[in-house]
Amino acid sequence: GNYAFQAQPVGFPGEPAVTLVQNQPIVQEGTLWMPVPPSIPNCPPGLEYLTQIDQILIHQQIELLEILTGFETNNKYELKNALGQRVYFAAEDTDCCTRVCCGPARSFTIRIIDNLGREVITLQRPLRCSSCCCPCCLQEVEVQAPPGKTVGYVVQNWHACLPKFTIQDDKRMDILKITGPCVVCSCCEDVNFEVKSVDETCTVGRISKHWTGFVKEAFTDADNFGITFPMDLDVKMKAVMIGACFLIVSLLFTNI
């Protein structure tokens, strides 16, 4: 398209500022970032990237300390587009006591930043029940974009044998449903969670846990996930689907 090129300073804490130009890829410390998109009216700042993609690949970074000691550290993730360009960087923000005492059931805050160093999405998961035996207080994640502005929720639904979730907007109206397989096993194959319309008659997307091989699966808890959604889906709901992926990871793959 005919975009107006606009230089923008960018920098992370402790790093020198870099000048970015819209519609051009950015390389920072060897990492290729997705080009800075033009601003879009009524789009939360930082979510403009999501208007240009229909899938996201999430790669958990391998933590050497966890491999050597088994000590759970704050997890970090790269979120990339289909070209392998980094769209966002995500980092968990929980204290050591919470990680050690609560494990996979712990509450968490995940902060997602773009290549301008802005925190554009915040995921808040409160401490709630982790068992399907207590259907009155199941898991949920609040998605904020930007931080402090709620755009939607991911709510776990009770079911006797299937992992099920509902994506809601900021007014708690149901928008999409997510259904996983009866047996969640990632041995030698991908695990797919279908994203469907509210009446569950139409599949509109998918959240997948990708098989990463025997060595990585056995010796690390670093996983790869993929999210697909319609290109024209509301960017706020795309952000909430990212939150849904992290909730599914924490509940079913015990590595967050």
Side-chain angles (χ1 to χ4, degrees):
N2 296 321
Y3 300 132
F5 294 96
Q6 179 180 357
Q8 303 180 47
V10 58
F12 294 89
E15 298 181 4
V18 179
T19 299
L20 301 183
V21 178
Q22 284 187 340
N23 207 35
Q24 295 294 314
I26 305 99
V27 179
Q28 294 177 358
E29 295 187 344
T31 299
L32 182 64
W33 285 81
M34 183 176 173
V36 179
S39 60
I40 299 175
N42 302 319
C43 179
L47 299 194
E48 298 93 346
Y49 300 89
L50 298 181
T51 65
Q52 302 181 359
I53 57 179
D54 60 3
Q55 61 179 296
I56 292 178
L57 306 176
I58 300 179
H59 303 289
Q60 183 180 354
Q61 295 189 339
I62 297 176
E63 299 291 337
L64 183 60
L65 179 62
E66 287 190 25
I67 298 175
L68 297 178
T69 67
F71 181 81
E72 186 73 17
T73 61
N74 274 326
N75 292 312
K76 301 178 180 65
Y77 302 84
E78 288 183 297
L79 284 70
K80 298 181 178 181
N81 62 17
L83 299 177
Q85 299 168 336
R86 184 188 283 182
V87 183
Y88 299 118
F89 180 82
E92 178 188 5
D93 183 9
T94 56
D95 59 78
C96 178
C97 181
T98 299
R99 295 195 303 273
V100 172
C101 296
C102 300
R106 65 184 179 262
S107 60
F108 63 64
T109 297
I110 292 180
R111 307 187 189 280
I112 300 177
I113 65 173
D114 67 0
N115 58 19
L116 298 178
R118 301 177 298 178
E119 183 179 344
V120 296
I121 303 174
T122 302
L123 309 179
Q124 297 276 7
R125 175 191 176 189
L127 183 63
R128 307 189 73 172
C129 294
S130 59
S131 172
C132 64
C133 297
C134 185
C136 62
C137 193
L138 296 178
Q139 296 290 330
E140 74 171 39
V141 164
E142 178 185 351
V143 181
Q144 302 173 1
K149 177 68 173 179
T150 301
V151 295
Y153 300 86
V154 186
V155 180
Q156 183 185 17
N157 304 133
W158 186 89
H159 193 278
C161 58
L162 295 176
K164 303 193 74 170
F165 306 86
T166 297
I167 288 178
Q168 300 177 332
D169 64 13
D170 59 322
K171 297 179 177 61
R172 294 281 189 175
M173 295 291 293
D174 293 353
I175 304 298
L176 296 168
K177 297 285 187 177
I178 302 174
T179 303
C182 182
V183 178
V184 181
C185 176
S186 61
C187 183
C188 301
E189 62 181 10
D190 294 348
V191 181
N192 296 316
F193 296 78
E194 302 298 330
V195 182
K196 301 182 178 182
S197 57
V198 173
D199 59 8
E200 301 189 43
T201 60
C202 177
T203 299
V204 299
R206 175 177 292 175
I207 295 174
S208 301
K209 193 273 185 185
H210 299 307
W211 168 251
T212 56
F214 286 106
V215 174
K216 190 173 181 181
E217 295 279 349
F219 294 101
T220 76
D221 64 359
D223 287 316
N224 295 327
F225 292 83
I227 308 172
T228 60
F229 35 62
M231 183 73 76
D232 59 354
L233 182 67
D234 185 346
V235 291
K236 296 178 182 179
M237 293 303 101
K238 290 183 179 182
V240 179
M241 282 186 64
I242 294 175
C245 182
F246 281 107
L247 180 59
I248 289 171
V249 173
S250 66
L251 287 176
L252 303 176
F253 300 101
T254 62
N255 67 333
I256 194 170

